[in-house]
Amino acid sequence: MSEFDQLYREVILDHYKNPRGHGVMEDADAEAEGQNPLCGDEVSIYVAFGEDGDTIDDVMFSGRGCAISQAATSMLTEMVKGRKASEVAGMPKEELLEEIGIPLTPVRLKCAILGLTTLRLALHKGKGTPLPEGLAELEDLELR
Amino acid sequence: MAVTTTPKLDAHKLRADFPVFEQPIHGKPLAFLDSAVTSQKPRQVLDAMRDFYATSYSNVHRGVYTLSERATEGYEGAREKVRAFLNASSTREVIFTRQATEALNLVAYAWGLDNLGPGDLALVTELEHHSNFVPWQQIARRTGADFRMLPIDDLGELRMDLLDEVAGDAPVKVVAANLVSNSLGTINPIERLAAWAHERGAIMVVDAAQAAPHRRIDVQTLGADFVAFSSHKMCGPTGAGVLWGRRELLEAMSPFNYGGSMIRSVKVEETLWNELPYKFEAGTPAIAEAYGLGVAIDYLEAVGLEAIEQHEHELAEHALERLAELPFVTVYGPPPDRRVGLVSFNVEGVHPHDVAQVLDWEGIAIRAGHHCCQPLMTRLGVAATNRASFYLYTIPDEIDRLVEGLRKVKDVLG
């Protein structure tokens, strides 16, 4: 398989063309907005918690962006549903990248993790936990 | 009717001057369609810079020894080449900067901080690159001045008819615009804009980064008070740029950076500034890079700016014609006679990043993004566009490959 075919492998194209959890959630328990200033990708993430206030019952996203950012965010929604917010808020990017399973250049890496960064931001804001380094800068960006 | 003939440019022949085309990209010949972001470098410039470093390099305006004299000669020789390139009246009006961005910041800070005040108006256009937009926005904020934007029409051309309306009764102090838009390729009517600015008592600041590589600029007829451009977009090295300014304005301005070279005398109580242009060139400049810019100007003059302009005009016509064959492609910007060799477009339903990625595998390099023009992207109602831009080494075959590549994009992702 050529590198080209890998980058747009079937599963990526499937998630891009039929994104899971795509749409706007009214009355979300947690939400955040993220941008990739380099390419103009935008994504908003909405989370609904279960009765325990920690289990991610549902997660949705809206926005626009390249195939990699949209497919990665779609895959992410499938990965985190049913998991604990406290755990997902600290999810390392490697876990998502493994799922995506394709080689990414540094520029495309930013596209791929936009959804994850935004989800982590949403969870920290929703739970009222302090933002870890890196995410705190994103929060500043949003406030400007 | 007098007919002027411009000798045609032979792009196939010129390509041999550019070593970058000797290597395949992903097994395909390189089609470099991103010259608006930066141009490739001819052997003439690369060799001259290496020779300069090997035989004539030291710091400038300092040593009395032979090498320092050679370096100074190379650096000041480049300044004279820039002067002639712009038809400026004196080398004192030619300031070397790092690039157009620094040149524009120099004007915004050194002129703006002293000349803008509460209620004054700084006017930019909707077509501006962030580098001629943000400095004025920020200096306006610091000085209490008003900051407004002249809008464009649906073809991406300035709404000159709205100038009086946008400015209202405000005391206009500065009008900042690009000569050529980096996003749409629009050629702006700077002469008319400058005439309006001067009528209102304002200065005219022109970002010529996308114009200087592609067409003749004569600062004596343009009507601008400041003109900025970068070496790296016109076959020269990175790290060098130019600010041309009217002498009387430059004389009256405070320095932008303080340091060595820019002073006449320093005492604890007071420092006196050096004469122009050195007042604005603090510290060791980019010596070999300025020298390289001079060599690049020689190269462009040998090819002929008029021939380059004509060549790119033909390429733009060809590109617009070929892209019109693709029903899934939307093209932005004015008709070919009012634009340079640059085409911005979108592929229906496909993000520009994906377009650029698929094309890369065909050996085709284009730009995908907001082109540092977010206000313009907002106006177009898009997050980003694809941009193919041409130069003296671009051949029609590369545009044909782009069109074929776009069909593939549509097949894979559309």
Side-chain angles (χ1 to χ4, degrees), chain A residues 3-142:
Chain A
E3 283 180 71
F4 173 79
D5 292 328
Q6 273 186 43
L7 187 61
Y8 292 106
R9 72 192 180 112
E10 215 157 297
V11 59
I12 301 280
L13 289 180
D14 178 43
H15 274 274
Y16 170 57
K17 290 176 179 170
N18 312 292
R20 328 292 199 259
H22 195 265
V24 177
M25 189 191 292
E26 305 294 337
D27 305 322
D29 295 317
E31 64 177 274
E33 207 180 299
Q35 288 111 21
N36 182 351
L38 206 67
C39 56
D41 288 353
E42 295 168 359
V43 65
S44 292
I45 300 243
Y46 315 90
V47 184
F49 295 133
E51 278 177 14
D52 62 357
D54 194 28
T55 304
I56 298 175
D57 245 17
D58 196 13
V59 54
M60 295 181 76
F61 77 101
S62 64
R64 55 184 181 180
C66 64
I68 303 298
S69 73
Q70 299 299 294
T73 308
S74 167
M75 291 166 111
L76 180 70
T77 64
E78 288 191 331
M79 287 170 69
V80 302
K81 229 178 263 184
R83 284 168 67 175
K84 300 284 184 204
S86 44
E87 175 213 349
V88 173
M91 182 170 145
K93 65 174 185 290
E94 286 71 22
E95 197 181 326
L96 174 64
L97 295 180
E98 201 173 306
E99 187 73 16
I100 299 171
I102 53 171
L104 291 168
T105 59
V107 171
R108 301 318 296 272
L109 187 67
K110 290 196 176 114
C111 307
I113 63 171
L114 175 64
L116 174 60
T117 312
T118 309
L119 172 64
R120 290 179 58 205
L121 186 63
L123 294 176
H124 279 291
K125 281 168 70 178
K127 304 278 286 181
T129 47
L131 296 173
E133 218 173 301
L135 286 188
E137 292 157 23
L138 269 182
E139 177 77 344
D140 282 349
L141 272 180
E142 277 200 346

Side-chain angles (χ1 to χ4, degrees), chain B residues 212-232:
Chain B
H214 308 290
R215 48 201 296 116
R216 173 83 53 202
I217 294 174
D218 182 337
V219 294
Q220 304 208 34
T221 57
L222 187 63
D225 298 294
F226 293 98
V227 172
F229 63 91
S230 296
S231 152
H232 73 93

Side-chain angles (χ1 to χ4, degrees), chain B residues 7-312:
Chain B
K8 289 250 310 177
L9 163 169
D10 185 346
H12 283 94
K13 195 167 148 232
L14 291 177
R15 281 169 89 80
D17 291 337
F18 292 79
V20 74
F21 293 115
E22 289 164 15
Q23 61 179 333
I25 300 288
H26 298 300
K28 312 264 172 60
L30 167 64
F32 187 74
L33 301 181
D34 198 14
S35 288
V37 84
T38 196
S39 75
Q40 295 298 336
K41 316 303 174 200
R43 229 178 288 277
Q44 287 84 339
V45 170
L46 300 175
D47 291 350
M49 286 180 70
R50 192 190 49 213
D51 289 349
F52 181 77
Y53 268 125
T55 65
S56 308
Y57 181 72
S58 179
N59 215 322
V60 290
H61 308 305
R62 284 167 177 79
V64 294
Y65 49 87
T66 304
L67 275 188
S68 179
E69 272 174 20
R70 283 185 197 161
T72 304
E73 211 172 284
Y75 183 69
E76 291 303 326
R79 197 188 306 276
E80 166 55 25
K81 287 176 185 178
V82 173
R83 185 209 61 75
F85 180 68
L86 295 173
N87 193 31
S89 56
S90 164
T91 50
R92 291 192 183 280
E93 297 185 326
V94 176
I95 295 156
F96 283 123
T97 62
R98 280 187 299 157
Q99 71 292 79
T101 296
E102 190 183 52
L104 293 165
N105 273 275
L106 191 163
V107 181
Y109 277 89
W111 184 90
L113 282 179
D114 285 345
N115 289 281
L116 290 176
D120 290 342
L121 177 60
L123 181 67
V124 302
T125 86
E126 202 166 24
L127 279 175
E128 290 322 291
H129 187 281
H130 293 163
S131 60
N132 201 25
F133 186 102
V134 181
W136 295 110
Q137 178 191 49
Q138 296 302 311
I139 296 298
R141 188 170 290 181
R142 277 172 69 165
T143 55
D146 208 355
F147 176 74
R148 291 180 208 160
M149 190 169 78
L150 180 68
I152 53 168
D153 62 20
D154 290 340
L155 285 177
E157 297 185 284
L158 295 179
R159 289 288 306 269
M160 298 294 285
D161 57 311
L162 291 182
L163 269 171
D164 287 323
E165 192 179 315
V166 170
D169 295 333
V172 191
K173 287 294 172 68
V174 55
V175 178
N178 51 32
L179 183 42
V180 168
S181 154
N182 70 306
S183 283
L184 300 180
T186 315
I187 301 165
N188 286 323
I190 293 298
E191 291 87 349
R192 282 169 57 205
L193 202 52
W196 181 87
H198 292 150
E199 209 172 283
R200 299 285 299 248
I203 62 160
M204 181 74 225
V205 179
V206 173
D207 169 7
Q210 296 294 344
H214 308 290
R215 48 201 296 116
R216 173 83 53 202
I217 294 174
D218 182 337
V219 294
Q220 304 208 34
T221 57
L222 187 63
D225 298 294
F226 293 98
V227 172
F229 63 91
S230 296
S231 152
H232 73 93
K233 292 188 198 287
M234 47 190 284
C235 295
T238 53
V242 169
L243 174 69
W244 170 86
R246 281 194 199 287
R247 189 166 174 170
E248 57 274 22
L249 288 170
L250 291 170
E251 296 277 11
M253 278 156 61
S254 301
F256 177 45
N257 289 316
Y258 303 107
S261 293
M262 53 77 64
I263 48 89
R264 180 168 297 151
S265 76
V266 180
K267 292 180 193 154
V268 166
E269 306 79 31
E270 193 187 26
T271 294
L272 296 177
W273 314 131
N274 201 344
E275 60 190 4
L276 289 175
Y278 310 109
K279 182 170 92 175
F280 293 103
E281 292 184 4
T284 295
I287 302 165
E289 287 74 12
Y291 174 75
L293 167 60
V295 179
I297 287 174
D298 288 343
Y299 183 82
L300 296 181
E301 292 287 9
V303 175
L305 267 300
E306 291 74 13
I308 293 171
E309 184 182 343
Q310 180 58 28
H311 174 66
E312 292 175 9

